[in-house]
Amino acid sequence: MKHIVFFSSGAASYVAAKIVCEKYGKKDTLLLFADTTIEDKDNYRFLIESSAFLDCQLVWLKDGRNPWDIYDEQKFVNHRVSNCSLELKVKPCKYFIMNNFKPNDCHLYMGITFDEYERSNAINKNWNPYKVSYPLCWENFISKQEVFDIIKNDKIEVPRLYSHDFPHANCGGFCCKTGKKQLRRLLNIFPERYYYHENREQEFLRLVNKDSGVIIREYRNNSVSMVSLKEFRERLESENNLSDSREFEGEGGCGCFIDSV
């Protein structure tokens, strides 16, 4: 039996992998990483160091595309449907697993904490007949702070995005599902990264002949309007509000792996 851990290069997936490795042994544990190519450079450092510490096999899936390449190819982006996650994470992982393991030959694991356990229903359905388990929710639930403490006790530096208060360390702090609070933080801490996404959104809008943005949603007077990353940045700069996020709604966690092929 091979125990396959979806290894995102984030903190929770590392601790999930450690639990699985300790329970079933490193020879029977496989770490599966699907690269979106826009992860923060420190995530790649963490990925390499942590997998070496666990001494488990690491399979690194990458086809060279990033989320904006997917949006351009499909001429579609929507905060309700993670077509980027579907193409860059779910499909490559499914292809690898289904071509190498039958459902009875492996068990899948994901580093979901108890406060996001609602994602498990969609994940279980999408991976059926393969069985998926969630080690951070076994018996005594492991909190996010405990996750960080475990990593520090292993003498591994936690991915730096967490120290900048990003809710998760995926995709370099960007996500098509995120809110204004996280995007303001991205602009403030990694402006060159924000400009990249801003420029890619402008290219996408020209491609699909749209005027409004496709990432940021504003809710006012019981209606929703879309704002471009460029417009949002210009508004913040004119208000000198780059370092103040009090007016913005919550930012949410990662929503990857819940879409079905």
Side-chain angles (χ1 to χ4, degrees):
M1 174 71 71
K2 185 65 75 172
H3 300 274
I4 303 174
V5 183
F6 295 111
F7 206 57
S8 71
S9 76
S13 66
Y14 166 75
V15 176
K18 181 177 181 179
I19 293 172
V20 172
C21 189
E22 291 176 347
K23 185 176 179 66
Y24 299 106
K26 61 184 180 181
K27 290 184 178 180
D28 291 324
T29 301
L30 182 149
L31 311 178
L32 187 58
F33 172 61
D35 194 349
T36 65
T37 77
I38 62 167
E39 305 300 335
D40 185 74
K41 65 180 182 180
D42 195 55
N43 273 57
Y44 295 115
R45 184 273 312 164
F46 178 77
L47 175 76
I48 294 169
E49 288 185 7
S50 60
S51 60
F53 180 86
L54 294 174
D55 195 22
C56 296
Q57 179 186 2
L58 171 65
V59 174
W60 193 318
L61 305 177
K62 176 181 177 180
D63 71 8
R65 294 179 297 171
N66 71 31
W68 285 106
D69 296 328
I70 303 301
Y71 306 151
D72 288 349
E73 290 172 11
Q74 299 183 359
K75 296 184 179 181
F76 176 79
V77 54
N78 187 286
H79 70 280
R80 293 187 179 90
V81 181
S82 302
N83 52 334
C84 46
S85 172
L86 186 63
E87 296 295 331
L88 300 177
K89 293 187 176 183
V90 178
K91 284 186 177 180
C93 288
K94 275 203 169 183
Y95 182 85
F96 172 82
I97 291 171
M98 294 177 69
N99 280 276
N100 289 281
F101 303 95
K102 295 179 180 179
N104 292 332
D105 295 335
C106 68
H107 195 126
L108 313 181
Y109 302 87
M110 190 166 293
I112 286 179
T113 53
F114 185 68
D115 59 347
E116 54 181 357
Y117 191 72
E118 70 277 359
R119 292 171 58 194
S120 66
N121 290 331
I123 293 170
N124 292 338
K125 179 180 178 181
N126 294 343
W127 282 94
N128 186 55
Y130 291 87
K131 185 176 181 180
V132 187
S133 294
Y134 309 91
L136 300 183
C137 300
W138 289 348
E139 298 180 5
N140 297 323
F141 304 126
I142 299 177
S143 68
K144 288 186 177 180
Q145 184 55 54
E146 289 172 319
V147 164
F148 296 145
D149 292 341
I150 290 171
I151 295 173
K152 292 175 182 177
N153 287 339
D154 288 340
K155 302 297 189 288
I156 303 173
E157 187 177 347
V158 174
R160 65 175 179 172
L161 287 184
Y162 296 113
S163 66
H164 291 300
D165 293 327
F166 284 89
H168 59 80
N170 303 107
C171 292
F174 174 79
C175 181
C176 66
K177 290 187 173 184
T178 195
K180 292 186 288 184
K181 186 175 183 179
Q182 182 171 328
L183 289 168
R184 183 213 56 81
R185 181 177 293 118
L186 184 67
L187 175 59
N188 187 40
I189 299 173
F190 301 107
E192 74 293 339
R193 195 172 300 174
Y194 185 97
Y195 296 144
Y196 169 79
H197 294 294
E198 175 184 312
N199 290 333
R200 289 299 300 262
E201 183 187 43
Q202 290 297 310
E203 292 174 5
F204 177 82
L205 296 178
R206 288 191 290 270
L207 177 67
V208 298
N209 195 28
K210 286 190 65 173
D211 295 325
S212 60
V214 291
I215 301 296
I216 298 176
R217 306 169 301 282
E218 287 191 335
Y219 301 90
R220 294 182 179 177
N221 300 322
N222 296 320
S223 63
V224 181
S225 60
M226 302 301 295
V227 177
S228 71
L229 293 169
K230 182 176 184 292
E231 181 183 350
F232 182 62
R233 173 183 58 80
E234 291 174 343
R235 182 194 304 171
L236 291 178
E237 290 174 341
S238 67
E239 297 172 353
N240 194 26
N241 193 29
L242 291 181
S243 61
D244 186 355
S245 61
R246 289 174 297 177
E247 68 174 89
F248 301 137
E249 73 273 11
E251 48 203 330
C254 180
C256 285
F257 263 96
I258 63 173
D259 297 294
S260 178
V261 174

